[in-house]
Amino acid sequence: GITGLCAAALYVYIVSESEGALYRMDVDGDHLYVLKRGLDKPEAVTYEPGAITRPWTAPGDVTGFKAGVLYVLTQKEIVRMNTAGKNSEVVVQDLEYGYDLTIDIPLGKLFFSDYNASGIYVADLDGQGVTLVREVAHPRAVCYYASYASTSPAPSQVPTKLPTPRPTATNWPSVPPTGAPTPLPTP
C-alpha cells in the first residue's frame, strides 16, 4: 500500500512500502508511472525544486521542474535522485526505522523521524551534519514550517536543548511500530 506521497508542481510522487517502488502521476490522477523499483521499504518522499536558468522560463515550466531532486526515505536510509528516478545516491544511512521526511527549502535542510531511535533529526541536503533535534518516543510524522522571508526556523522549531549527535545503528530494527496512533481528543 501507499506509505507516502508528495505533490510537486506538475506531479504527485507516491511510495509504496509493500511494492518497494516510487511512482509518479499527473496531479489529476492520470498517467501513473513507476520511476524506481527495488527500494527497501520506502516510507516517505519529498521534492526539492530545481533552479530555472533560462530567463524566459516560467516558474511552472517543465524545464525548471525536471531540474528538481527527489528524496526518498526508506526504513534504513535517505536516497536522493533526479525527478526521473535516476542517479540515486544514499545521503543518510544507518537509520533504525525511518518513518517520515520533510524539507526546508530556504535553509537547505532535511528533517526526518526515526521511529526506533525515538527522535526527530535534521541534516543538510547532502546528508552531512545529521543532528538530533528532539527526542520523541516513537515519532511517526514530521512537518517543518519556515517563513520564506526569513533565514531562520520558525520559533516552534527551535529546540529547547542543544542537539546531540545522532546514534548510529548496527542492526536492522527489531521492533516495528505496533498499534494504531493515539487519536487526538475532540474539542
Side-chain angles (χ1 to χ4, degrees):
I2 294 174
T3 52
L5 64 91
C6 172
L10 303 173
Y11 302 108
V12 175
Y13 290 94
I14 304 161
V15 289
S16 171
E17 178 186 15
S18 61
E19 296 174 24
L22 168 66
Y23 297 91
R24 182 186 77 197
M25 70 179 176
D26 297 340
V27 292
D28 61 4
D30 286 343
H31 305 104
L32 182 65
Y33 296 101
V34 176
L35 292 181
K36 188 161 194 70
R37 290 196 186 276
L39 294 166
D40 188 13
K41 299 184 180 180
E43 294 289 337
V45 59
T46 192
Y47 168 77
E48 175 194 5
I52 299 169
T53 57
R54 295 184 299 188
W56 62 86
T57 307
D61 191 304
V62 174
T63 304
F65 174 76
K66 285 183 178 177
V69 177
L70 294 172
Y71 291 87
V72 176
L73 173 80
T74 71
Q75 289 180 3
K76 294 181 183 180
E77 60 196 14
I78 299 174
V79 180
R80 178 172 57 191
M81 64 192 76
N82 66 25
T83 57
K86 307 284 186 212
N87 303 323
S88 297
E89 64 176 319
V90 174
V91 294
V92 176
Q93 57 189 2
D94 296 327
L95 299 176
E96 290 187 37
Y97 198 112
Y99 210 88
D100 200 13
L101 171 72
T102 191
I103 189 170
D104 170 23
I105 295 167
L107 295 179
K109 300 288 184 181
L110 294 169
F111 285 83
F112 56 97
S113 61
D114 193 329
Y115 185 86
N116 283 354
S118 295
I120 306 294
Y121 296 88
V122 63
D124 296 334
L125 295 178
D126 63 0
Q128 298 298 308
V130 175
T131 306
L132 176 67
V133 174
R134 170 124 13 218
E135 281 188 44
V136 178
H138 307 296
R140 293 180 183 262
V142 61
C143 180
Y144 184 83
Y145 167 79
S147 166
Y148 280 70
S150 172
T151 57
S152 62
S156 63
Q157 293 299 321
V158 177
T160 57
K161 65 179 184 174
L162 293 175
T164 57
R166 180 189 163 286
T168 58
T170 55
N171 297 317
W172 178 250
S174 58
V175 183
T178 58
T182 305
L184 293 173
T186 54

